[in-house]
Amino acid sequence: MKPVKVGLLGLGTVGTGVVRIVEGHQEELQRQVGTPIVIERILVNNKEKRRNITIDPEKLTENVEDILNDASIDIIIEVMGGIEPVKDYIMEALAKGKHVVTANKDLMALHGTEVLEQAAKHGCDVLYEASVAGGIPIIRTLTEGFSADRITKIMGIVNGTTNYILTKMSQEGAVYDDVLKEAQALGYAEADPTSDVEGLDAARKMTILGRLGFGVNVELADVAVKGISKVTKEDIAYGKKLGYEMKLLGIAECEEDGIDLSVQPVMVKTSHPLASVNGVYNAVYVYGQAVGETMFYGPGAGELPTATSIVADLVSVVKDLRLGVNGKYMVAPYKEKKLRSDAEAASKYFILLDVADKAGVLARITQSFAKHEVSLESVLQHPNPLNLNAEIIIITHSANRAGMKNVLADFAELDVVNKIRSVYRVEG
Ligand code: NAP
Ligand code: HSE
């Protein structure tokens, strides 16, 4: 049978993994799709670069048109990264009737709707399993596994770098700056770690998951983002004392009153399955009205795990080719987007305050909570023997965001509150 020819855009970490899997698992792949799959051409920046894989030099090109204009190539795998020039290449490939598999969360979070519309217009598949949580098949899970259910909550540890940093801070009592430097030395964190540590990478992934999970046209701007760069070892230590682990969670909720999306450091009860996801691992917790609680765990990045998801998408495209049903994946968002207001969005909170240690302080603090209808679950006080101050750690019951904002505004004015040290959402 005629082989299916693939054009690969990029031969870095993930591209190398794609070549290894397509070549190394050829027998298994052929058994599933009934035809050989061949990587025909590979676009790179620099053909002369030394690579840790042996490639026929004739396959390498620095000119994308060699791939886009090759009529024998049916499928493009994009593993270059970034938005430009990738978006132009993908739009052109789709216009030429080539199917696309991509690992590009930036492109799919920011321009996913446009790319999918172009695909539908030209009867092409665009699959992007590897764009979220690398080796975990979470996109298939949401779109196929849970197609019969109504998903109301998705919580993800979808960034390995930050999970590695928080795990080290928790297990070794280390400070953020030291662990970040170590993560950079080990190659887990990038030289410029901003996108990871400030939650932007996770926000892009949650945009994609929210869109697919809820059938709503979620945009990146709908995700409230806070990273981990201000998390202290004291926050983590107090959390542990009260039975919580700190995790950077992407949280997407969808109820009758609307949707709410965020990425933020969260105190997760140790009994919750997400609390024990450590190191660079990722996990996505999904709550469906019918299925209840589920969780999916695995490597969120890396050459072979990520390439596994890409080649699985490739298999899907080739199966569609065989059946003649390409271009039918586009499920346009069908629900109206309504974001929850501060009065509608509710959660539990952890608050750490520096206060004066004298009579009546706790009464004035609790007065504020009562005034704004925020109910308290527990209060813990630590006197500081070196001065007349104390640290108070409060866990609230579920309270709406508007109420919490009012409480914190009161504290900013209260003379007995020296400092609002930290405020975190609580889950589990
Ligand atoms: P990478 O190692 O930096 O590789 C990028 C590749 O693209 C290189 O081969 C580079 O060529 C080529 N390239 C970049 N810009 C180019 C241009 N303008 N023209 C031609 N070639 C160009 O990146 P990666 O880590 O494999 O990541 C690729 C994609 O996968 C990204 O979208 C990333 O977010 C996503 N992803 C990565 C992981 C992971 O574990 N790394 C996990 C999930 C998703 P040269 O080799 O000649 O420099
Ligand atoms: N920078 C990402 C992470 C890589 O740390 O998880 C995978 O997208």
Side-chain angles (χ1 to χ4, degrees), residues 105 159-161 196 201 205 300-301:
K105 65 218 153 199
N159 183 270
T161 307
D196 289 324
D201 173 80
K205 293 166 180 168

Side-chain angles (χ1 to χ4, degrees), residues 2-24:
K2 201 171 130 246
V4 170
K5 293 188 180 173
V6 175
L8 184 62
L9 308 188
L11 187 60
T13 306
V14 182
T16 302
V18 169
V19 175
R20 284 195 215 285
I21 291 188
V22 169
E23 290 180 351

Side-chain angles (χ1 to χ4, degrees), residues 278-298:
N278 287 324
V280 292
Y281 276 91
N282 281 198
V284 184
Y285 166 99
V286 181
Y287 190 91
Q289 276 182 356
V291 72
E293 292 186 296
T294 61
M295 195 170 96
F296 305 87
Y297 171 86

Side-chain angles (χ1 to χ4, degrees), residues 77-95:
I77 295 180
E78 184 277 306
V79 281
M80 280 168 57
I83 305 282
E84 292 302 342
V86 165
K87 184 178 165 223
D88 292 341
Y89 295 172
I90 286 183
M91 297 302 264
E92 188 181 336
L94 292 169

Side-chain angles (χ1 to χ4, degrees), residues 244-350:
Y244 297 95
E245 286 290 344
M246 177 78 78
K247 296 288 170 194
L248 183 74
L249 290 193
I251 304 179
E253 293 169 296
C254 180
E255 297 285 355
E256 293 298 314
D257 58 1
I259 60 167
D260 194 63
L261 296 109
S262 64
V263 169
Q264 57 187 308
V266 175
M267 291 286 184
V268 183
K269 196 84 184 156
T270 45
S271 54
H272 193 283
L274 284 168
S276 49
V277 175
N278 287 324
V280 292
Y281 276 91
N282 281 198
V284 184
Y285 166 99
V286 181
Y287 190 91
Q289 276 182 356
V291 72
E293 292 186 296
T294 61
M295 195 170 96
F296 305 87
Y297 171 86
E303 179 186 316
L304 292 176
T306 310
T308 306
S309 288
I310 291 171
V311 180
D313 278 349
L314 176 61
V315 166
S316 295
V317 177
V318 181
K319 282 182 177 170
D320 287 352
L321 272 172
R322 294 276 155 260
L323 295 169
V325 293
N326 298 98
K328 306 280 189 278
Y329 280 97
M330 171 82 173
V331 181
Y334 60 98
K335 282 191 204 153
E336 191 193 337
K337 181 166 75 183
K338 181 191 169 294
L339 297 175
R340 274 187 186 163
S341 66
D342 282 351
E344 291 164 328
S347 72
K348 292 168 69 169
Y349 290 92
F350 166 109

Side-chain angles (χ1 to χ4, degrees), residues 184-250:
Q184 284 171 319
L186 287 169
Y188 291 145
E190 312 244 349
D192 177 359
T194 315
S195 168
D196 289 324
V197 300
E198 298 305 345
L200 309 172
D201 173 80
R204 289 178 191 136
K205 293 166 180 168
M206 292 310 296
T207 303
I208 296 171
L209 294 186
R211 215 178 266 158
L212 294 171
F214 304 150
V216 174
N217 190 17
V218 173
E219 289 164 274
L220 187 57
D222 300 328
V223 186
V225 188
K226 185 177 159 197
I228 65 162
S229 58
K230 301 283 187 304
V231 172
T232 67
K233 67 174 192 173
E234 288 77 21
D235 294 339
I236 292 180
Y238 276 131
K240 278 172 96 91
K241 206 174 235 175
L242 294 167
Y244 297 95
E245 286 290 344
M246 177 78 78
K247 296 288 170 194
L248 183 74
L249 290 193

